[in-house]
Amino acid sequence: MRNTSISLDKKKMVSQVEKHMEEAQELVEQMELEIRTLTAAEQSKYRNHVKNYLTELKQMHKELQRAKIAFCDEVLTRDELFESEDTSIAEDKQRLLDNTERLERSSRKLQAGYGLALETEQIGADVLNSLYTQRETIKKSRDRLRETDDDLGKSSRILSGMIRRIVQNKLILYVVAAVIILVIILAIYFIARRHS
């Protein structure tokens, strides 16, 4: 009865560890997607972190597989133990303790990796927020630049109109001056003609 309880506890622990590993794998995949949105310099920095997480995750997965195999062997050994009186119960208990310890170690490593994954996810979120803020600033600057460009266009049109009016006024002034000079010349001519 006690052996069955230990076996169930181990299966439950293995199930929890597998679940945590799946969550960690999903988090690492999400981090890889987040990294693709960063600049090249930031990408290389965070890619190394993610590569380390993947390596550690694979190592934990291998340890879990070894522990599961050992657990299966242990169950078979336990069945043989009950059938045969030659096998030692103490050795079986030691194996069971070793496998449990291995599972606990894997679980601790997995939780540490999960914590690192969460931390990296937070860093990714902060970077995205920073990029969003910078994008908004650039957008506002671009809008201001367009407004300034529009104002410059209006000013240019007003200046062109003023220059055109100045040129027209000069032409009118030259024409009026020419007419006055012509009138003066004609007046002098007619006055001189009368006196002669």
Side-chain angles (χ1 to χ4, degrees):
M1 184 77 175
R2 190 177 171 200
N3 286 334
T4 307
S5 170
I6 290 171
S7 176
L8 287 173
D9 286 346
K10 277 193 169 189
K11 284 181 182 175
K12 188 176 177 184
M13 187 182 292
V14 168
S15 169
Q16 286 177 344
V17 169
E18 285 176 334
K19 184 181 174 189
H20 285 310
M21 286 190 73
E22 285 174 14
E23 289 175 0
Q25 183 68 38
E26 287 175 13
L27 279 171
V28 170
E29 287 170 5
Q30 285 178 1
M31 283 188 277
E32 285 177 328
L33 290 175
E34 293 288 333
I35 286 172
R36 291 180 187 162
T37 63
L38 302 175
T39 62
E42 292 172 329
Q43 278 184 10
S44 64
K45 176 183 171 187
Y46 290 112
R47 272 215 173 93
N48 289 335
H49 287 302
V50 171
K51 202 179 283 184
N52 291 338
Y53 298 148
L54 278 171
T55 305
E56 198 170 324
L57 201 60
K58 284 178 185 173
Q59 186 180 351
M60 284 187 228
H61 187 70
K62 285 178 185 174
E63 286 183 26
L64 177 65
Q65 293 305 320
R66 280 197 295 265
K68 281 170 72 176
I69 290 167
F71 175 67
C72 289
D73 289 346
E74 177 190 310
V75 170
L76 289 173
T77 306
R78 196 180 316 125
D79 291 342
E80 290 168 5
L81 232 169
F82 288 120
E83 292 171 7
S84 155
E85 296 175 4
D86 295 347
T87 9
S88 165
I89 294 174
E91 287 176 7
D92 193 38
K93 281 184 180 178
Q94 187 58 45
R95 254 189 247 123
L96 183 65
L97 287 171
D98 289 345
N99 289 337
T100 305
E101 190 179 318
R102 231 183 274 148
L103 272 173
E104 286 173 357
R105 264 199 318 268
S106 296
S107 179
R108 280 194 298 271
K109 283 183 180 177
L110 188 61
Q111 284 176 343
Y114 183 72
L116 284 171
L118 287 176
E119 183 182 332
T120 306
E121 184 181 19
Q122 182 60 45
I123 290 168
D126 292 343
V127 168
L128 283 176
N129 285 336
S130 172
L131 287 172
Y132 177 77
T133 307
Q134 289 173 6
R135 189 179 120 205
E136 288 300 312
T137 305
I138 290 169
K139 192 176 174 186
K140 286 177 186 174
S141 299
R142 193 182 301 139
D143 290 343
R144 276 192 222 119
L145 193 61
R146 281 187 190 136
E147 288 173 12
T148 306
D149 194 36
D150 290 343
D151 290 344
L152 283 172
K154 287 176 188 174
S155 300
S156 176
R157 284 192 296 276
I158 291 169
L159 278 172
S160 296
M162 289 171 69
I163 290 169
R164 210 172 25 254
R165 282 190 209 109
I166 289 170
V167 169
Q168 286 173 350
N169 288 340
K170 275 188 178 181
L171 284 173
I172 291 169
L173 187 63
Y174 290 145
V175 169
V176 169
V179 168
I180 290 173
I181 290 171
L182 187 64
V183 168
I184 291 172
I185 290 172
L186 285 173
I188 292 172
Y189 174 74
F190 285 120
I191 290 172
R193 201 168 162 200
R194 265 190 208 169
H195 289 298
S196 52

